[in-house]
mmCIF file of all heavy atoms in Angstrom:
data_model
loop_
_atom_site.group_PDB
_atom_site.id
_atom_site.type_symbol
_atom_site.label_atom_id
_atom_site.label_comp_id
_atom_site.label_asym_id
_atom_site.label_seq_id
_atom_site.Cartn_x
_atom_site.Cartn_y
_atom_site.Cartn_z
ATOM 1 N N CYS A 13 -9.098 -14.001 -0.049
ATOM 2 C CA CYS A 13 -8.377 -13.088 0.824
ATOM 3 C C CYS A 13 -6.891 -13.141 0.480
ATOM 4 O O CYS A 13 -6.301 -14.214 0.392
ATOM 5 C CB CYS A 13 -8.612 -13.482 2.278
ATOM 6 S SG CYS A 13 -7.617 -12.536 3.435
ATOM 7 N N LEU A 15 -4.507 -12.296 2.317
ATOM 8 C CA LEU A 15 -3.677 -12.561 3.482
ATOM 9 C C LEU A 15 -3.749 -14.031 3.890
ATOM 10 O O LEU A 15 -2.738 -14.711 3.996
ATOM 11 C CB LEU A 15 -4.121 -11.655 4.636
ATOM 12 C CG LEU A 15 -3.031 -11.225 5.602
ATOM 13 C CD1 LEU A 15 -1.877 -10.565 4.884
ATOM 14 C CD2 LEU A 15 -3.602 -10.267 6.637
ATOM 15 N N CYS A 16 -4.952 -14.528 4.115
ATOM 16 C CA CYS A 16 -5.081 -15.920 4.562
ATOM 17 C C CYS A 16 -5.453 -16.852 3.413
ATOM 18 O O CYS A 16 -5.523 -18.068 3.606
ATOM 19 C CB CYS A 16 -6.097 -16.037 5.690
ATOM 20 S SG CYS A 16 -7.795 -15.706 5.185
ATOM 21 N N CYS A 84 -10.490 -10.607 3.922
ATOM 22 C CA CYS A 84 -11.669 -11.086 4.627
ATOM 23 C C CYS A 84 -11.806 -10.253 5.905
ATOM 24 O O CYS A 84 -10.870 -9.546 6.297
ATOM 25 C CB CYS A 84 -11.520 -12.575 4.950
ATOM 26 S SG CYS A 84 -10.276 -12.954 6.193
ATOM 27 N N CYS A 87 -8.976 -10.751 8.520
ATOM 28 C CA CYS A 87 -7.684 -10.194 8.127
ATOM 29 C C CYS A 87 -7.720 -8.670 8.074
ATOM 30 O O CYS A 87 -6.710 -8.015 8.263
ATOM 31 C CB CYS A 87 -7.246 -10.765 6.783
ATOM 32 S SG CYS A 87 -6.794 -12.513 6.883
HETATM 33 ZN ZN1 ZN B 205 -8.173 -13.452 5.400
#
Side-chain angles (χ1 to χ4, degrees):
C13 173
L15 212 55
C16 68
C84 69
C87 290

